[in-house]
Each structure stands twice: as C-alpha cells, then as structure tokens.
PDB file of all heavy atoms in Angstrom:
ATOM      1  N   PHE A   1       0.832  -1.194   0.008  1.00  0.00           N
ATOM      2  CA  PHE A   1      -0.019  -0.006  -0.011  1.00  0.00           C
ATOM      3  C   PHE A   1       0.882   1.257  -0.009  1.00  0.00           C
ATOM      4  O   PHE A   1       0.583   2.242  -0.714  1.00  0.00           O
ATOM      5  CB  PHE A   1      -0.911   0.026   1.226  1.00  0.00           C
ATOM      6  CG  PHE A   1      -2.276  -0.602   0.936  1.00  0.00           C
ATOM      7  CD1 PHE A   1      -2.589  -1.762   1.625  1.00  0.00           C
ATOM      8  CD2 PHE A   1      -3.159  -0.068   0.040  1.00  0.00           C
ATOM      9  CE1 PHE A   1      -3.846  -2.352   1.399  1.00  0.00           C
ATOM     10  CE2 PHE A   1      -4.405  -0.636  -0.158  1.00  0.00           C
ATOM     11  CZ  PHE A   1      -4.743  -1.778   0.494  1.00  0.00           C
ATOM     12  N   THR A   2       1.927   1.248   0.786  1.00  0.00           N
ATOM     13  CA  THR A   2       2.745   2.445   0.837  1.00  0.00           C
ATOM     14  C   THR A   2       3.506   2.630  -0.466  1.00  0.00           C
ATOM     15  O   THR A   2       3.663   3.748  -0.914  1.00  0.00           O
ATOM     16  CB  THR A   2       3.782   2.251   1.989  1.00  0.00           C
ATOM     17  OG1 THR A   2       3.101   1.896   3.201  1.00  0.00           O
ATOM     18  CG2 THR A   2       4.519   3.533   2.263  1.00  0.00           C
ATOM     19  N   ALA A   3       3.952   1.533  -1.096  1.00  0.00           N
ATOM     20  CA  ALA A   3       4.586   1.667  -2.406  1.00  0.00           C
ATOM     21  C   ALA A   3       3.621   2.232  -3.448  1.00  0.00           C
ATOM     22  O   ALA A   3       4.011   3.018  -4.333  1.00  0.00           O
ATOM     23  CB  ALA A   3       5.141   0.311  -2.846  1.00  0.00           C
ATOM     24  N   SER A   4       2.396   1.809  -3.379  1.00  0.00           N
ATOM     25  CA  SER A   4       1.387   2.351  -4.303  1.00  0.00           C
ATOM     26  C   SER A   4       1.152   3.840  -4.059  1.00  0.00           C
ATOM     27  O   SER A   4       0.923   4.603  -5.005  1.00  0.00           O
ATOM     28  CB  SER A   4       0.070   1.580  -4.218  1.00  0.00           C
ATOM     29  OG  SER A   4      -0.536   1.861  -3.015  1.00  0.00           O
ATOM     30  N   ALA A   5       1.259   4.268  -2.793  1.00  0.00           N
ATOM     31  CA  ALA A   5       1.144   5.723  -2.523  1.00  0.00           C
ATOM     32  C   ALA A   5       2.323   6.503  -3.134  1.00  0.00           C
ATOM     33  O   ALA A   5       2.196   7.588  -3.648  1.00  0.00           O
ATOM     34  CB  ALA A   5       1.108   5.951  -0.995  1.00  0.00           C
ATOM     35  N   ILE A   6       3.473   5.901  -3.075  1.00  0.00           N
ATOM     36  CA  ILE A   6       4.668   6.545  -3.690  1.00  0.00           C
ATOM     37  C   ILE A   6       4.502   6.602  -5.177  1.00  0.00           C
ATOM     38  O   ILE A   6       4.861   7.553  -5.859  1.00  0.00           O
ATOM     39  CB  ILE A   6       5.941   5.798  -3.259  1.00  0.00           C
ATOM     40  CG1 ILE A   6       6.182   6.020  -1.767  1.00  0.00           C
ATOM     41  CG2 ILE A   6       7.159   6.302  -4.070  1.00  0.00           C
ATOM     42  CD1 ILE A   6       7.348   5.252  -1.241  1.00  0.00           C
ATOM     43  N   TRP A   7       3.905   5.540  -5.788  1.00  0.00           N
ATOM     44  CA  TRP A   7       3.636   5.605  -7.238  1.00  0.00           C
ATOM     45  C   TRP A   7       2.653   6.745  -7.552  1.00  0.00           C
ATOM     46  O   TRP A   7       2.825   7.370  -8.576  1.00  0.00           O
ATOM     47  CB  TRP A   7       3.047   4.259  -7.728  1.00  0.00           C
ATOM     48  CG  TRP A   7       4.026   3.180  -7.976  1.00  0.00           C
ATOM     49  CD1 TRP A   7       4.141   2.013  -7.288  1.00  0.00           C
ATOM     50  CD2 TRP A   7       5.042   3.161  -8.971  1.00  0.00           C
ATOM     51  NE1 TRP A   7       5.204   1.259  -7.768  1.00  0.00           N
ATOM     52  CE2 TRP A   7       5.731   1.923  -8.819  1.00  0.00           C
ATOM     53  CE3 TRP A   7       5.444   4.060  -9.967  1.00  0.00           C
ATOM     54  CZ2 TRP A   7       6.812   1.581  -9.662  1.00  0.00           C
ATOM     55  CZ3 TRP A   7       6.470   3.664 -10.791  1.00  0.00           C
ATOM     56  CH2 TRP A   7       7.139   2.492 -10.643  1.00  0.00           C
ATOM     57  N   LEU A   8       1.711   6.952  -6.688  1.00  0.00           N
ATOM     58  CA  LEU A   8       0.738   8.045  -6.951  1.00  0.00           C
ATOM     59  C   LEU A   8       1.448   9.387  -6.825  1.00  0.00           C
ATOM     60  O   LEU A   8       1.150  10.326  -7.563  1.00  0.00           O
ATOM     61  CB  LEU A   8      -0.330   7.984  -5.879  1.00  0.00           C
ATOM     62  CG  LEU A   8      -1.474   7.000  -6.086  1.00  0.00           C
ATOM     63  CD1 LEU A   8      -2.420   6.987  -4.921  1.00  0.00           C
ATOM     64  CD2 LEU A   8      -2.236   7.284  -7.393  1.00  0.00           C
ATOM     65  N   LEU A   9       2.458   9.490  -5.958  1.00  0.00           N
ATOM     66  CA  LEU A   9       3.185  10.719  -5.874  1.00  0.00           C
ATOM     67  C   LEU A   9       3.976  10.937  -7.155  1.00  0.00           C
ATOM     68  O   LEU A   9       4.214  12.178  -7.547  1.00  0.00           O
ATOM     69  CB  LEU A   9       4.209  10.694  -4.692  1.00  0.00           C
ATOM     70  CG  LEU A   9       3.606  10.985  -3.319  1.00  0.00           C
ATOM     71  CD1 LEU A   9       4.701  10.789  -2.274  1.00  0.00           C
ATOM     72  CD2 LEU A   9       2.987  12.357  -3.237  1.00  0.00           C
ATOM     73  N   LEU A  10       4.409   9.879  -7.819  1.00  0.00           N
ATOM     74  CA  LEU A  10       5.122  10.029  -9.086  1.00  0.00           C
ATOM     75  C   LEU A  10       4.190  10.186 -10.275  1.00  0.00           C
ATOM     76  O   LEU A  10       4.581  10.108 -11.428  1.00  0.00           O
ATOM     77  CB  LEU A  10       6.007   8.773  -9.294  1.00  0.00           C
ATOM     78  CG  LEU A  10       7.137   8.638  -8.302  1.00  0.00           C
ATOM     79  CD1 LEU A  10       7.859   7.325  -8.484  1.00  0.00           C
ATOM     80  CD2 LEU A  10       8.127   9.762  -8.431  1.00  0.00           C
ATOM     81  N   ARG A  11       2.867  10.277  -9.994  1.00  0.00           N
ATOM     82  CA  ARG A  11       1.814  10.441 -11.016  1.00  0.00           C
ATOM     83  C   ARG A  11       1.714   9.232 -11.957  1.00  0.00           C
ATOM     84  O   ARG A  11       1.478   9.420 -13.175  1.00  0.00           O
ATOM     85  CB  ARG A  11       2.054  11.750 -11.847  1.00  0.00           C
ATOM     86  CG  ARG A  11       1.851  12.983 -10.999  1.00  0.00           C
ATOM     87  CD  ARG A  11       2.300  14.260 -11.696  1.00  0.00           C
ATOM     88  NE  ARG A  11       2.072  15.418 -10.847  1.00  0.00           N
ATOM     89  CZ  ARG A  11       2.902  15.803  -9.827  1.00  0.00           C
ATOM     90  NH1 ARG A  11       3.938  15.044  -9.578  1.00  0.00           N
ATOM     91  NH2 ARG A  11       2.617  16.890  -9.167  1.00  0.00           N
ATOM     92  N   ALA A  12       1.977   8.101 -11.437  1.00  0.00           N
ATOM     93  CA  ALA A  12       1.796   6.888 -12.156  1.00  0.00           C
ATOM     94  C   ALA A  12       0.603   6.103 -11.507  1.00  0.00           C
ATOM     95  O   ALA A  12       0.709   5.143 -10.798  1.00  0.00           O
ATOM     96  CB  ALA A  12       3.060   5.989 -12.094  1.00  0.00           C
ATOM     97  N   GLU A  13      -0.559   6.672 -11.841  1.00  0.00           N
ATOM     98  CA  GLU A  13      -1.801   6.158 -11.228  1.00  0.00           C
ATOM     99  C   GLU A  13      -2.095   4.682 -11.631  1.00  0.00           C
ATOM    100  O   GLU A  13      -2.620   3.905 -10.779  1.00  0.00           O
ATOM    101  CB  GLU A  13      -3.020   7.057 -11.636  1.00  0.00           C
ATOM    102  CG  GLU A  13      -2.906   8.473 -11.210  1.00  0.00           C
ATOM    103  CD  GLU A  13      -2.136   9.314 -12.183  1.00  0.00           C
ATOM    104  OE1 GLU A  13      -1.805   8.820 -13.238  1.00  0.00           O
ATOM    105  OE2 GLU A  13      -1.838  10.478 -11.841  1.00  0.00           O
ATOM    106  N   PHE A  14      -1.884   4.314 -12.838  1.00  0.00           N
ATOM    107  CA  PHE A  14      -2.141   2.985 -13.309  1.00  0.00           C
ATOM    108  C   PHE A  14      -1.278   1.950 -12.501  1.00  0.00           C
ATOM    109  O   PHE A  14      -1.738   0.913 -12.092  1.00  0.00           O
ATOM    110  CB  PHE A  14      -1.912   2.842 -14.843  1.00  0.00           C
ATOM    111  CG  PHE A  14      -2.098   1.454 -15.321  1.00  0.00           C
ATOM    112  CD1 PHE A  14      -3.358   0.912 -15.472  1.00  0.00           C
ATOM    113  CD2 PHE A  14      -1.040   0.659 -15.651  1.00  0.00           C
ATOM    114  CE1 PHE A  14      -3.568  -0.374 -15.935  1.00  0.00           C
ATOM    115  CE2 PHE A  14      -1.213  -0.582 -16.102  1.00  0.00           C
ATOM    116  CZ  PHE A  14      -2.441  -1.140 -16.251  1.00  0.00           C
ATOM    117  N   LEU A  15       0.032   2.247 -12.365  1.00  0.00           N
ATOM    118  CA  LEU A  15       0.847   1.336 -11.640  1.00  0.00           C
ATOM    119  C   LEU A  15       0.439   1.230 -10.151  1.00  0.00           C
ATOM    120  O   LEU A  15       0.491   0.160  -9.532  1.00  0.00           O
ATOM    121  CB  LEU A  15       2.287   1.780 -11.711  1.00  0.00           C
ATOM    122  CG  LEU A  15       2.998   1.603 -13.067  1.00  0.00           C
ATOM    123  CD1 LEU A  15       4.368   2.194 -13.069  1.00  0.00           C
ATOM    124  CD2 LEU A  15       3.002   0.174 -13.484  1.00  0.00           C
ATOM    125  N   ALA A  16      -0.007   2.406  -9.538  1.00  0.00           N
ATOM    126  CA  ALA A  16      -0.450   2.355  -8.188  1.00  0.00           C
ATOM    127  C   ALA A  16      -1.661   1.457  -8.004  1.00  0.00           C
ATOM    128  O   ALA A  16      -1.675   0.647  -7.093  1.00  0.00           O
ATOM    129  CB  ALA A  16      -0.740   3.772  -7.706  1.00  0.00           C
ATOM    130  N   ILE A  17      -2.669   1.627  -8.848  1.00  0.00           N
ATOM    131  CA  ILE A  17      -3.876   0.839  -8.679  1.00  0.00           C
ATOM    132  C   ILE A  17      -3.642  -0.648  -9.023  1.00  0.00           C
ATOM    133  O   ILE A  17      -4.171  -1.544  -8.445  1.00  0.00           O
ATOM    134  CB  ILE A  17      -5.083   1.452  -9.514  1.00  0.00           C
ATOM    135  CG1 ILE A  17      -6.420   0.824  -9.009  1.00  0.00           C
ATOM    136  CG2 ILE A  17      -4.884   1.180 -10.980  1.00  0.00           C
ATOM    137  CD1 ILE A  17      -6.775   1.196  -7.625  1.00  0.00           C
ATOM    138  N   THR A  18      -2.705  -0.868  -9.965  1.00  0.00           N
ATOM    139  CA  THR A  18      -2.313  -2.271 -10.308  1.00  0.00           C
ATOM    140  C   THR A  18      -1.624  -2.945  -9.157  1.00  0.00           C
ATOM    141  O   THR A  18      -1.906  -4.125  -8.860  1.00  0.00           O
ATOM    142  CB  THR A  18      -1.471  -2.279 -11.563  1.00  0.00           C
ATOM    143  OG1 THR A  18      -2.100  -1.659 -12.625  1.00  0.00           O
ATOM    144  CG2 THR A  18      -1.068  -3.695 -11.948  1.00  0.00           C
ATOM    145  N   LEU A  19      -0.798  -2.194  -8.480  1.00  0.00           N
ATOM    146  CA  LEU A  19      -0.048  -2.771  -7.317  1.00  0.00           C
ATOM    147  C   LEU A  19      -1.087  -3.165  -6.210  1.00  0.00           C
ATOM    148  O   LEU A  19      -0.984  -4.185  -5.649  1.00  0.00           O
ATOM    149  CB  LEU A  19       0.942  -1.736  -6.758  1.00  0.00           C
ATOM    150  CG  LEU A  19       1.879  -2.216  -5.709  1.00  0.00           C
ATOM    151  CD1 LEU A  19       2.804  -3.315  -6.206  1.00  0.00           C
ATOM    152  CD2 LEU A  19       2.679  -1.063  -5.150  1.00  0.00           C
ATOM    153  N   VAL A  20      -2.094  -2.293  -6.044  1.00  0.00           N
ATOM    154  CA  VAL A  20      -3.099  -2.594  -5.011  1.00  0.00           C
ATOM    155  C   VAL A  20      -3.986  -3.797  -5.400  1.00  0.00           C
ATOM    156  O   VAL A  20      -4.160  -4.744  -4.630  1.00  0.00           O
ATOM    157  CB  VAL A  20      -3.913  -1.350  -4.683  1.00  0.00           C
ATOM    158  CG1 VAL A  20      -5.136  -1.734  -3.737  1.00  0.00           C
ATOM    159  CG2 VAL A  20      -3.095  -0.308  -4.004  1.00  0.00           C
ATOM    160  N   LEU A  21      -4.481  -3.721  -6.670  1.00  0.00           N
ATOM    161  CA  LEU A  21      -5.381  -4.754  -7.113  1.00  0.00           C
ATOM    162  C   LEU A  21      -4.747  -6.182  -7.276  1.00  0.00           C
ATOM    163  O   LEU A  21      -5.250  -7.153  -6.807  1.00  0.00           O
ATOM    164  CB  LEU A  21      -6.026  -4.400  -8.375  1.00  0.00           C
ATOM    165  CG  LEU A  21      -7.004  -3.262  -8.368  1.00  0.00           C
ATOM    166  CD1 LEU A  21      -7.568  -2.922  -9.722  1.00  0.00           C
ATOM    167  CD2 LEU A  21      -8.211  -3.570  -7.397  1.00  0.00           C
ATOM    168  N   VAL A  22      -3.544  -6.151  -7.917  1.00  0.00           N
ATOM    169  CA  VAL A  22      -2.890  -7.435  -8.218  1.00  0.00           C
ATOM    170  C   VAL A  22      -2.269  -8.034  -6.992  1.00  0.00           C
ATOM    171  O   VAL A  22      -2.519  -9.171  -6.558  1.00  0.00           O
ATOM    172  CB  VAL A  22      -1.935  -7.322  -9.382  1.00  0.00           C
ATOM    173  CG1 VAL A  22      -1.155  -8.602  -9.599  1.00  0.00           C
ATOM    174  CG2 VAL A  22      -2.688  -6.902 -10.622  1.00  0.00           C
ATOM    175  N   TYR A  23      -1.398  -7.231  -6.342  1.00  0.00           N
ATOM    176  CA  TYR A  23      -0.564  -7.817  -5.244  1.00  0.00           C
ATOM    177  C   TYR A  23      -1.355  -7.911  -3.954  1.00  0.00           C
ATOM    178  O   TYR A  23      -1.351  -8.961  -3.282  1.00  0.00           O
ATOM    179  CB  TYR A  23       0.693  -6.929  -5.036  1.00  0.00           C
ATOM    180  CG  TYR A  23       1.716  -7.242  -6.086  1.00  0.00           C
ATOM    181  CD1 TYR A  23       1.860  -6.436  -7.143  1.00  0.00           C
ATOM    182  CD2 TYR A  23       2.542  -8.373  -5.991  1.00  0.00           C
ATOM    183  CE1 TYR A  23       2.823  -6.722  -8.143  1.00  0.00           C
ATOM    184  CE2 TYR A  23       3.466  -8.672  -6.953  1.00  0.00           C
ATOM    185  CZ  TYR A  23       3.587  -7.790  -8.029  1.00  0.00           C
ATOM    186  OH  TYR A  23       4.489  -8.095  -8.963  1.00  0.00           O
ATOM    187  N   VAL A  24      -2.050  -6.847  -3.547  1.00  0.00           N
ATOM    188  CA  VAL A  24      -2.809  -6.922  -2.309  1.00  0.00           C
ATOM    189  C   VAL A  24      -4.072  -7.710  -2.508  1.00  0.00           C
ATOM    190  O   VAL A  24      -4.432  -8.560  -1.639  1.00  0.00           O
ATOM    191  CB  VAL A  24      -3.126  -5.516  -1.802  1.00  0.00           C
ATOM    192  CG1 VAL A  24      -3.969  -5.497  -0.563  1.00  0.00           C
ATOM    193  CG2 VAL A  24      -1.860  -4.714  -1.552  1.00  0.00           C
ATOM    194  N   GLY A  25      -4.783  -7.500  -3.626  1.00  0.00           N
ATOM    195  CA  GLY A  25      -6.013  -8.190  -3.824  1.00  0.00           C
ATOM    196  C   GLY A  25      -5.945  -9.647  -4.146  1.00  0.00           C
ATOM    197  O   GLY A  25      -6.817 -10.446  -3.777  1.00  0.00           O
ATOM    198  N   ALA A  26      -4.881 -10.061  -4.822  1.00  0.00           N
ATOM    199  CA  ALA A  26      -4.824 -11.466  -5.278  1.00  0.00           C
ATOM    200  C   ALA A  26      -3.607 -12.207  -4.666  1.00  0.00           C
ATOM    201  O   ALA A  26      -3.798 -13.210  -4.033  1.00  0.00           O
ATOM    202  CB  ALA A  26      -4.723 -11.480  -6.808  1.00  0.00           C
TER     203      ALA A  26
END
C-alpha cells in the first residue's frame, strides 16, 4: 500500500492501482 502511494506521488496512477489490485487483492 505504501509503495502504491509513492507511485501516486510520481503520477503513475495505473501502476499504483495495479499494485493494490494485483498484489494486495490477489
């Protein structure tokens, strides 16, 4: 979750939501 927040800071929204959905969710 924290890494996805850092991705959001880098304005890479797709990578952030992918990190949450794929890694945390599955």
Side-chain angles (χ1 to χ4, degrees):
F1 269 115
T2 310
S4 69
I6 293 175
W7 279 114
L8 282 175
L9 282 177
L10 295 173
R11 292 170 181 80
E13 298 86 7
F14 177 74
L15 289 176
I17 196 66
T18 303
L19 188 64
V20 171
L21 289 179
V22 173
Y23 283 98
V24 177

